[in-house]
Amino acid sequence: MAVIFDPLRGRQRPAASHPDEEIIDVLAGRYCDADWAVLTGAGMSTDSGVPDYRGPDSPPRNPMTIQTFLSHPDQRARYWARSWVGWPRMRGSRPNPGHLALAELSVAGIVTQNVDGLHQAAAEAVAASRAERGDERPLSPVIDLHGSLDRVICLDNGHQLDRDWLQRRLSELNPDFVHATGIDPIDVETAPDGDVELEDTAGFVVADCPECGGMLKPDVVYFGESVPPERLQKANGICESAAGIVVLGSSLAVLSGLRFVRTAAKEGKPVVIVTDGPTRGDELADFRSISRVADFVSAWASR
């Protein structure tokens, strides 16, 4: 498997630029809430039990690249075996207070690099709560920049499938796999992209597209792939309409997220970064917090 270069290597966590109270004063006062675009990363979901790639306590990880996935059937079997074991825990993740607080805020939009679907789950919970209270305020739009693990696509003909269907199909094709490996799915740790560390995936049977027999892939942007143009256009629209950008829990290690921060800074828009580790955009930040994301967003939403 290819080793992913870590662009944060050698970077140190900066000090906070201002107390959180002052940063939140800027978010809630200097500009109205609706003027802010929000970019979220893996640090947004750590309090939901979803680990991140580059947090202070994260072990080294080598995520699957698109080149590796396409290179050989054994590599695809390796991915799907690991994903099959990890999916129940990923699917069982629930929005944390940070997701719920962010869903309550009226912002220009939320562009997430995460593929866990927790922003959408939080929006559903907030919408239900508002409906009970007769609150008709609209929710802020959410763009899954890197796709979502609950969807599967056929690379041959573009058919879209539900991930739960594929989970059942893989279970039918591999009834003895867990027993053969000696693992307990309850005890394994999932990665941010939903798979787990498994040494031996030999013999795992991969499902083909039920419509055409084509190759199936999770509907996520692998390392080495580009964000689909239509999705990128929507994300750009949110950021272009905003007066500033707030980065929550992202190291900005990949260009797909960093580009929004660079554009905002180039245009003279304020940049707020909230995460407890270093980022590639620290030198561009006008306001920098090193607090836990859920704590910061909850305080912001309480204003």
Side-chain angles (χ1 to χ4, degrees):
M1 175 185 288
V3 176
I4 306 298
F5 172 72
D6 184 0
L8 297 178
R9 186 179 301 163
R11 287 181 176 259
Q12 301 296 318
R13 182 179 73 169
S17 64
H18 303 75
D20 283 355
E21 294 80 2
E22 292 184 16
I23 300 176
I24 293 171
D25 283 343
V26 172
L27 295 176
R30 181 176 169 187
Y31 302 92
C32 66
D33 284 345
D35 280 336
W36 294 101
V38 177
L39 174 70
T40 70
M44 190 83 206
S45 295
T46 52
D47 284 349
S48 294
V50 181
D52 58 10
Y53 278 116
R54 301 178 178 88
D57 301 318
S58 298
R61 301 183 190 273
N62 289 320
M64 179 74 73
T65 67
I66 186 60
Q67 293 83 3
T68 300
F69 185 84
L70 297 176
S71 66
H72 196 276
D74 288 349
Q75 293 294 346
R76 292 189 287 281
R78 177 178 178 274
Y79 172 80
W80 282 119
R82 292 154 58 109
S83 176
W84 177 70
V85 174
W87 176 244
R89 172 166 282 190
M90 177 64 74
R91 195 184 191 287
S93 298
R94 295 292 180 264
N96 64 57
H99 291 111
L100 296 169
L102 182 57
E104 289 280 9
L105 288 164
S106 295
V107 295
I110 300 166
V111 179
T112 184
Q113 297 172 286
N114 299 336
V115 294
D116 51 36
L118 293 178
H119 284 298
Q120 287 80 356
E124 291 175 2
V126 169
S129 176
R130 288 183 179 180
E132 291 179 357
R133 304 192 307 267
D135 185 343
E136 298 181 354
R137 286 178 297 159
L139 295 168
S140 303
V142 177
I143 303 297
D144 288 319
L145 193 65
H146 293 161
S148 182
L149 282 171
D150 65 358
R151 302 188 301 265
V152 179
I153 59 173
C154 170
L155 294 182
D156 289 21
N157 290 294
H159 299 119
Q160 295 193 4
L161 306 169
D162 180 76
R163 180 63 179 81
D164 285 334
W165 173 87
L166 181 60
Q167 187 73 8
R168 293 190 297 270
R169 181 60 180 146
L170 291 175
S171 297
E172 293 170 355
L173 293 172
N174 300 277
D176 301 319
F177 183 75
V178 168
H179 177 73
T181 59
I183 60 173
D184 186 343
I186 296 178
D187 295 333
V188 295
E189 179 183 354
T190 56
D193 49 7
D195 61 356
V196 300
E197 292 295 332
L198 287 180
E199 292 298 327
D200 185 7
T201 58
F204 190 84
V205 180
V206 175
D208 296 324
C209 176
E211 299 291 333
C212 67
M215 183 189 303
L216 296 180
K217 171 185 171 291
D219 190 12
V220 299
V221 177
Y222 278 159
F223 283 84
E225 283 190 289
S226 299
V227 176
E230 182 179 355
R231 197 181 302 163
L232 183 58
Q233 183 178 13
K234 291 179 180 178
N236 282 333
I238 287 173
C239 294
E240 289 169 1
S241 70
I245 188 168
V246 183
V247 179
L248 300 174
S250 174
S251 65
L252 301 173
V254 294
L255 183 59
S256 61
L258 181 61
R259 69 177 61 173
F260 299 115
V261 173
R262 286 177 171 172
T263 298
K266 183 178 180 180
E267 294 176 351
K269 297 180 179 181
V271 173
V272 179
I273 297 179
V274 182
T275 192
D276 57 1
T279 82
R280 287 179 76 186
D282 286 334
E283 65 275 11
L284 303 175
D286 300 286
F287 301 93
R288 184 66 161 89
S289 168
I290 55 175
S291 297
R292 291 191 65 81
V293 172
D295 295 339
F296 182 94
V297 181
S298 297
W300 178 13
S302 70
R303 290 295 180 92

